[in-house]
Amino acid sequence: MAAQMWTCTGLRWSPEGPELVWSGGRRSALTWGKRIAFGVREDSGRRCVGARGHACPTHTPVPARSTGARCEECARLDRAHSVAADTIADDPRPYRVYLAWFGPGLLKVGITAEERGSARLLEQGAVCFTWLGTGPLMAARRTEELLRAALGVPDRIPYAQKRTVRATLPAGADERAAEVRELHARALSLGNWPESVKTEPCQVTDHVADFNLQHAAPATGAVTELVAGGHLAGELVAAAGPDLHLDTGAPRGVLVLDTRLLPGWELIPAQPSSEITVPVKDFAARQDGLF
């Protein structure tokens, strides 16, 4: 009898918390303390997941360390109608400009559709954020570029930086919000915002409790890729953006798994006590958390 097999399409943040989504639409709620254990089929390889609901016609192999899990052609098709890629300009929905904070000295400016609420911030792993203004798409995009240039903050931050800085988060919400409030004040003091963007007062939303970071030990390293025949098991202690923080016990402790590494692989059940046989990169400096 063939072993049960799953294909994961990624992690989504619902109002109830993070969920893993599987091929076919089934979802698995991720609760703190949940044991997560899986392996990769021994004779499998990672294949392109396709684009916009369509399978890749050539089932092209993709690199194990790719966070997109798509071949070049499917990646192009996926971004052909994307706000992030600046390929649409006629979206009639209102957009919000935000300021997000991921840890000391790590802030970014961005935009998201107003109807999505804070979902985009949870997906990015923003520890806290505030809205800056609301307006039409292109005006919001111009505001984003204005603030990026005038304030010297980026519109993108690599996830590797976000992961390492989580171990040094200040314990208090006021401390975590301090840089956001300061930069919000500087942003609103600029006098050349597009007229169609309505500015918003600083109201910092903190996601530490949503991510459960206050109860999790600092991570010591991160999974860099999955491999055929590899296994990973641990207790879910926190999650932020696409990252799951898994307590794997001694000797490794808490490891971060970027769930964007899962799509394209054929996954099978594994025992919770399975040995960790996937490549892991230790964080350069292990620092004690302040929680």
Side-chain angles (χ1 to χ4, degrees), residues 63-275:
R65 296 195 177 196
S66 165
T67 54
R70 291 184 173 90
C71 66
E72 287 187 18
E73 180 62 18
C74 287
R76 184 187 66 79
L77 291 173
D78 191 62
R79 292 176 66 83
H81 191 74
S82 166
V83 170
D86 275 336
T87 55
I88 59 174
D90 57 351
D91 190 336
R93 297 176 298 172
Y95 275 75
R96 302 183 93 171
V97 187
Y98 62 80
L99 182 64
W101 184 88
F102 300 89
L106 209 60
L107 299 99
K108 65 156 283 189
V109 63
I111 68 171
T112 185
E114 183 179 40
E115 65 186 32
R116 295 206 67 208
S118 62
R120 179 68 181 141
L121 286 305
L122 290 165
E123 292 167 358
Q124 292 186 65
V127 175
C128 60
F129 79 95
T130 185
W131 303 119
L132 288 165
T134 305
L137 171 58
M138 295 314 293
R141 182 65 85 195
R142 288 195 300 273
T143 303
E144 177 189 38
E145 178 59 24
L146 162 70
L147 298 176
R148 187 192 64 77
L151 302 177
V153 292
D155 57 2
R156 287 178 176 83
I157 295 176
Y159 276 97
Q161 289 182 257
K162 300 176 186 179
R163 292 180 190 115
T164 54
V165 80
R166 283 182 206 140
T168 62
L169 297 178
D174 285 342
E175 296 171 85
R176 295 193 292 270
E179 287 184 275
V180 176
R181 293 194 179 105
E182 178 187 353
L183 211 56
H184 182 281
R186 288 175 56 197
L188 263 59
S189 70
L190 301 174
N192 50 346
W193 282 50
E195 290 185 4
S196 56
V197 174
K198 179 183 177 182
T199 59
E200 298 189 33
C202 184
Q203 294 183 335
V204 179
T205 298
D206 192 290
H207 285 153
V208 159
D210 298 88
F211 295 157
N212 205 48
L213 292 171
Q214 78 277 28
H215 297 305
T220 62
V223 175
T224 57
E225 61 184 296
L226 301 187
V227 293
H231 293 85
L232 179 65
E235 178 182 313
L236 182 66
V237 293
D243 293 343
L244 302 183
H245 290 226
L246 302 176
D247 186 352
T248 64
R252 287 203 173 272
V254 176
L255 296 179
V256 177
L257 170 65
D258 184 342
T259 54
R260 297 176 301 169
L261 297 174
L262 299 179
W265 287 104
E266 296 178 346
L267 305 179
I268 58 175
Q271 294 299 319
S273 58
S274 295
E275 181 183 356

